[in-house]
Amino acid sequence: MLTIKNLKASVEGKQILNGLNLEIKPGEIHAIMGPNGAGKSTLGNVLTGREGYEITEGEVSFMGQDLLDMAPEDRARMGLFLSFQYPVEIPGVPMVNFLKASVNEHRKFKGQEPLTAGEFLKLMREKKEMLHLDSQLTNRSVNEGFSGGEKKKNEIFQMAMLEPKLAILDETDSGLDIDALRVVAEGVNALKSPERSAIVITHYQRLLDYIVPDFVHVLYNGKIVMSAGKELALELEEKGYDWIKKEFA
Amino acid sequence: MTQTLINKKAVSEKYSELYQVNRSTLDQGSSPVLNRMRDIAIKRFEQQGVPGFKNEDYKYTNLERVFGKEYRHIFEYEKVDVDLNEVFRCDVPQLDTYTILLVNGWYYARNKQLEGLPDGVVVGSLKQVANEQPELLENYLNRQAALSDDPLVALNTAFAQDGFFMYVPENVKFEKPVQVINLTRAQEAVFSTQRNLIIAGANSEAKVIFCDHTLTSSECLGNSVTEVFVGDRAVVDVYAVQNQNNKSNAINSVFFKLGEKSNLMSGVASLHGGLIRNNLLVSMDGENAEANVYGMSFTDKRQHVDNYTNIQHNQANCLSNQLYKNVLDEDSVGAFTGRIHVARDAQKTNAFQRNNNVLLTDTAKMNTKPQLIIDADDVKCSHGATVGQIDLDALFYMRQRGIGEADARMMLMNAFAHEVVQEIRIEPLRDRIDELVEKRLKGELGKCNNCDA
């Protein structure tokens, strides 16, 4: 599904990704852990096409296509989703209009007819029920005045609406209390299928109690320095990152 | 410097001469109510002349160039060779209004008879009402404008012959909006002087929508003055939709005098036009009055839109809200000067002002200048101005959800403008403006009507 080969990227002349390799197959959940500044968020931004990152080397293929060559909206329409670490508030753009435009763009890309207003509201209702979401969220402007937890739930809600092939959850657990964490995790698990994959970027093992990864990778200095099964997360929780820093400095 | 002075003098003298030469024509057929103010007004104009950069209030808008050009002046009503009622049809669905047409500042002679007006309401030509019922306007005409230092207001007073007049007696709730369509229609560059007067008696209600259009692609200059009297406890809405050709020049000075517990809504949408200068002056002359003053503009090419407001809090316990938003594209230039003056005894004043601007290019330019003069000590006043670009984080967020860049930009700009649009208190007009704004942003708006003349 996703193949990253020797990816190198820099921001304002500073190299952040340093020859990263990663292979994700359909149905897999990969956790990416690592200390601050390791390049975790950069990876999410580079994959989704955010401006300001210079790719200096390497290649990324997604669903058999050259990902780095595509506009951000086309990557999204192909099924790549980023749950933002800091979801953006967009005053004046109602959630409903935003989501409807988004869902219908995805449908158009697949050659499907746009949803009617009725169909769209029905879909929204179903997904809200599935995630036990407060219906208030969709009556407001995108993320405007949302609490930290509400913003993260809203990301998961959008993910549920768009049903991406590959979701990148960038520190979705940060700033969440245990109840919100459970809602987020349940949402991710509910969407699990043999065709859908996820990259879970996190600092802590906590989220991985709820979303069980098939693989855990440690990102350090812009490279994956260690990969193992879910037990690696526990080890990191116990020992911290210092020994990694020492070993791979 | 000498050159500038000579030009300025020459330009101003041109209008003085024009006045002297046409004095008898101006008086002819006009009511003494109008004629008696002319001489004083032209003197006031001559004292300052056409405002140049040195005039602090006009520092962002060079009018000497505009006034220096040659225009045809119309001192007598000219018959229109087509039926404008047929040519012009405003296709706003659900917007049920009384429609009035004015051409080059003159009340159109073949305006349809207005049926079903509430008792005592007068809607018509300023010239005609001044002649036939001078008692209706005697105590109002020029009572606000005469206090102004603006030489262009004085110039209007000197040349004023016709315009729109409306009178709503006290206690009359005039629900149906009156839509005043100002048309500029001429083969050549034309100068129009339009004088409007709106009187809303105590405890009355009135709504007026001004729509400015050009039915010509040639250059033109309009210098209009509108005086609005909002009686005690009256509720008045005045909206302006400015959609003229990009060679047009328009100076609009609008005065509002607010009685106690009155409520004003003023909204100005500048969609197209070459040079637009809107002067908006509110005098809060009764306690507990409320003024809501909103404006927005969308400019591109070499358009120039300058909004100047002056909210005068003369009495205690009044509230004023100002919000102006501008989206500037290409090489366009915008300006906002917002003055709030709280007089010495106007305690418990609440006065708020905000001006937000988005520049879409490196070459667009915005000047913004808030001016707060507060002579009372127990007041709440705030002002804020921002000039920025489209929020790139929001843009990426939307694109990450599959929304194309152009659509995402459009949604963001619409959202920016919508904060102003949502304040419009006539629902079908609000929907219509939303639609016009969207069309304007997409570059699809040429004219906002079905008119092909």
Side-chain angles (χ1 to χ4, degrees):
Chain A
M1 173 176 282
L2 180 80
T3 310
I4 305 174
K5 278 187 195 152
N6 190 32
L7 185 62
K8 293 186 182 174
S10 58
V11 183
E12 287 164 5
K14 193 178 169 224
Q15 185 141 336
I16 310 281
L17 296 184
N18 227 333
L20 188 142
N21 295 292
L22 187 66
E23 167 90 38
I24 294 176
K25 296 198 173 69
E28 291 176 352
I29 293 181
H30 291 242
I32 294 185
M33 304 182 72
N36 282 330
K40 301 193 297 292
S41 289
T42 298
L43 177 62
N45 288 332
V46 165
L47 292 180
T48 49
R50 193 178 196 122
E51 274 177 41
Y53 294 86
E54 200 195 341
I55 318 282
T56 49
E57 231 183 294
E59 51 195 71
V60 180
S61 92
F62 177 58
M63 312 292 295
Q65 295 208 41
D66 180 2
L67 189 72
L68 301 178
D69 216 25
M70 279 186 259
E73 52 269 39
D74 287 329
R75 303 183 194 198
R77 292 165 187 165
M78 278 188 69
L80 184 63
F81 180 92
L82 176 67
S83 167
F84 284 68
Q85 183 177 3
Y86 304 108
V88 186
E89 298 197 14
I90 315 179
V93 175
M95 258 315 283
V96 175
N97 296 9
F98 168 71
L99 256 183
K100 190 159 182 250
S102 174
V103 167
N104 282 335
E105 285 294 346
H106 278 75
R107 292 180 65 84
K108 194 162 97 189
F109 189 79
K110 290 182 209 149
Q112 296 167 328
E113 288 292 307
L115 292 183
T116 64
E119 288 165 342
F120 174 74
L121 291 175
K122 186 166 167 267
L123 178 70
M124 220 166 59
R125 214 165 32 239
E126 284 169 12
K127 299 294 181 185
K128 271 197 255 183
E129 274 167 26
M130 185 181 100
L131 300 172
H132 313 290
L133 272 191
D134 179 359
S135 59
Q136 286 295 315
L137 288 186
T138 47
N139 293 337
R140 290 149 70 177
S141 289
V142 179
N143 293 322
E144 193 188 20
F146 286 23
S147 70
E150 282 172 333
K151 282 182 183 164
K152 295 298 173 78
K153 284 187 205 169
N154 192 27
E155 294 293 288
I156 301 304
F157 171 57
Q158 292 173 46
M159 183 177 84
M161 291 289 290
L162 298 173
E163 301 190 328
K165 295 203 170 66
L166 175 63
I168 303 167
L169 309 180
D170 188 3
E171 306 224 1
T172 302
D173 51 338
S174 67
L176 288 191
D177 61 33
I178 201 76
D179 293 326
L181 189 71
R182 197 173 288 133
V183 171
V184 165
E186 276 173 14
V188 175
N189 289 329
L191 289 166
K192 228 180 138 177
S193 89
E195 295 85 45
R196 276 192 278 237
S197 314
I199 297 175
V200 182
I201 296 173
T202 182
H203 253 317
Y204 306 106
Q205 133 76 18
R206 196 174 66 152
L207 180 65
L208 304 178
D209 286 341
Y210 300 94
I211 305 171
V212 182
D214 301 298
F215 301 94
V216 175
H217 309 278
V218 178
L219 187 64
Y220 182 61
N221 275 345
K223 261 192 217 181
I224 287 177
V225 293
M226 194 181 285
S227 297
K230 61 183 178 199
E231 65 287 348
L232 178 58
L234 290 168
E235 197 180 337
L236 289 167
E237 182 80 1
E238 205 175 298
K239 297 189 185 151
Y241 291 108
D242 282 350
W243 63 280
I244 301 258
K245 289 182 190 171
K246 260 181 223 146
E247 195 159 329
F248 297 96
Chain B
M1 174 194 139
T2 335
Q3 190 62 37
T4 325
L5 275 180
I6 291 166
N7 281 346
K8 179 175 161 64
K9 212 169 158 229
V11 169
S12 301
E13 274 173 4
K14 194 175 78 174
Y15 289 90
S16 299
E17 273 172 40
L18 190 73
Y19 175 78
Q20 299 307 339
V21 171
N22 293 285
R23 177 65 216 257
S24 59
T25 322
L26 287 167
D27 280 356
Q28 239 165 43
S30 286
S31 158
V33 190
L34 283 150
N35 293 338
R36 69 185 181 199
M37 29 188 227
R38 297 192 197 284
D39 284 342
I40 304 163
I42 199 74
K43 283 201 188 82
R44 288 193 81 139
F45 167 74
E46 285 164 355
Q47 280 164 12
Q48 290 185 61
V50 171
F53 285 128
K54 283 194 179 158
N55 183 324
E56 185 63 21
D57 292 344
Y58 278 91
K59 73 187 273 192
Y60 301 120
T61 298
N62 182 1
L63 290 176
E64 278 163 24
R65 185 192 62 81
V66 171
F67 277 80
K69 291 192 174 160
E70 291 303 317
Y71 300 95
R72 189 168 74 84
H73 295 261
I74 305 169
F75 297 125
E76 278 170 293
Y77 181 74
E78 292 176 344
K79 272 196 174 161
V80 182
D81 53 5
V82 293
D83 185 355
L84 288 175
N85 292 304
E86 288 301 314
V87 175
F88 188 91
R89 276 196 215 91
C90 187
D91 63 340
V92 182
Q94 288 98 43
L95 184 56
D96 185 20
T97 63
Y98 286 112
T99 309
I100 300 288
L101 296 165
L102 280 92
V103 188
N104 302 329
W106 294 79
Y107 196 84
Y108 179 46
R110 287 158 72 190
N111 266 316
K112 286 182 187 149
Q113 193 68 36
L114 303 182
E115 304 204 346
L117 286 177
D119 278 351
V121 168
V122 179
V123 174
S125 143
L126 181 81
K127 182 187 176 79
Q128 194 185 351
V129 176
N131 279 322
E132 293 170 6
Q133 297 168 274
E135 69 282 1
L136 274 184
L137 43 78
E138 234 161 17
N139 294 328
Y140 296 98
L141 188 70
N142 213 30
R143 288 298 162 95
Q144 295 187 70
L147 302 174
S148 165
D149 287 333
D150 190 327
L152 298 179
V153 171
L155 188 68
N156 175 287
T157 304
F159 283 96
Q161 287 174 283
D162 202 2
F164 169 73
F165 176 82
M166 179 159 120
Y167 170 72
V168 182
E170 58 179 40
N171 298 319
V172 172
K173 311 278 185 225
F174 187 14
E175 299 275 349
K176 191 163 161 175
V178 175
Q179 193 178 6
V180 182
I181 320 268
N182 293 318
L183 301 172
T184 302
R185 187 174 184 272
Q187 298 297 321
E188 64 291 278
V190 70
F191 186 111
S192 47
T193 295
Q194 181 173 339
R195 183 67 174 232
N196 307 312
L197 178 60
I198 297 169
I199 304 159
N203 200 33
S204 70
E205 254 182 67
K207 299 179 181 76
V208 181
I209 306 163
F210 287 99
C211 299
D212 299 346
H213 293 284
T214 37
L215 303 183
T216 169
S217 53
S218 59
E219 191 159 359
C220 53
L221 171 56
N223 179 32
S224 82
V225 169
T226 304
E227 291 175 282
V228 183
F229 292 83
V230 185
D232 294 347
R233 299 177 308 288
V235 180
V236 170
D237 286 35
V238 177
Y239 302 100
V241 181
Q242 301 173 331
N243 194 24
Q244 297 193 311
N245 77 41
N246 280 354
K247 280 195 263 174
S248 66
N249 303 287
I251 294 114
N252 305 298
S253 302
V254 187
F255 296 86
F256 294 99
K257 187 178 170 65
L258 272 60
E260 68 172 45
K261 292 184 182 157
S262 65
N263 186 303
L264 167 72
M265 161 63 65
S266 163
V268 181
S270 309
L271 300 171
H272 272 296
L275 180 149
I276 298 175
R277 161 73 179 216
N278 294 312
N279 296 314
L280 196 144
L281 305 105
V282 180
S283 191
M284 322 269 288
D285 290 350
E287 283 200 35
N288 294 299
E290 178 180 325
N292 300 291
V293 177
Y294 297 95
M296 57 182 162
S297 77
F298 305 89
T299 53
D300 54 16
K301 304 195 176 75
R302 299 182 61 84
Q303 276 185 269
H304 182 111
V305 176
D306 180 353
N307 279 295
Y308 175 92
T309 67
N310 186 347
I311 314 289
Q312 183 73 33
H313 280 263
N314 291 326
Q315 294 290 330
N317 293 306
C318 291
L319 164 68
S320 66
N321 293 305
Q322 291 183 73
L323 175 62
Y324 276 79
K325 289 191 149 191
N326 307 290
V327 179
L328 300 101
D329 201 354
E330 297 176 330
D331 301 318
S332 60
V333 177
F336 174 76
T337 304
R339 181 178 293 175
I340 297 171
H341 183 204
V342 182
R344 216 177 61 190
D345 298 322
Q347 301 297 357
K348 306 277 181 201
T349 286
N350 283 306
F352 307 110
Q353 179 191 96
R354 188 149 58 86
N355 171 230
N356 301 123
N357 309 286
V358 173
L359 302 180
L360 300 177
T361 61
D362 292 342
T363 46
K365 196 173 155 190
M366 181 69 204
N367 303 290
T368 175
K369 192 169 73 172
Q371 296 181 317
L372 269 62
I373 305 159
I374 300 170
D375 294 328
D377 50 21
D378 184 12
V379 301
K380 227 187 258 174
C381 291
S382 73
H383 67 90
T386 60
V387 179
Q389 279 99 31
I390 281 272
D391 182 348
L392 292 177
D393 288 334
L395 192 65
F396 176 67
Y397 188 80
M398 297 172 89
R399 294 177 76 186
Q400 211 303 302
R401 297 301 184 250
I403 300 169
E405 185 176 359
D407 288 341
R409 276 180 184 277
M410 204 57 61
M411 285 173 87
L412 288 173
M413 284 191 281
N414 256 322
F416 178 77
H418 192 74
E419 197 191 352
V420 175
V421 179
Q422 70 184 3
E423 300 291 343
I424 296 172
R425 301 197 287 208
I426 303 170
E427 203 184 326
L429 180 67
R430 186 165 64 228
D431 296 345
R432 177 57 167 178
I433 301 271
D434 251 339
E435 201 181 302
L436 288 175
V437 166
E438 192 172 331
K439 271 195 190 170
R440 176 67 181 86
L441 290 170
K442 283 183 181 162
E444 290 168 0
L445 180 70
K447 294 169 177 165
C448 74
N449 51 59
N450 273 337
C451 147
D452 297 315

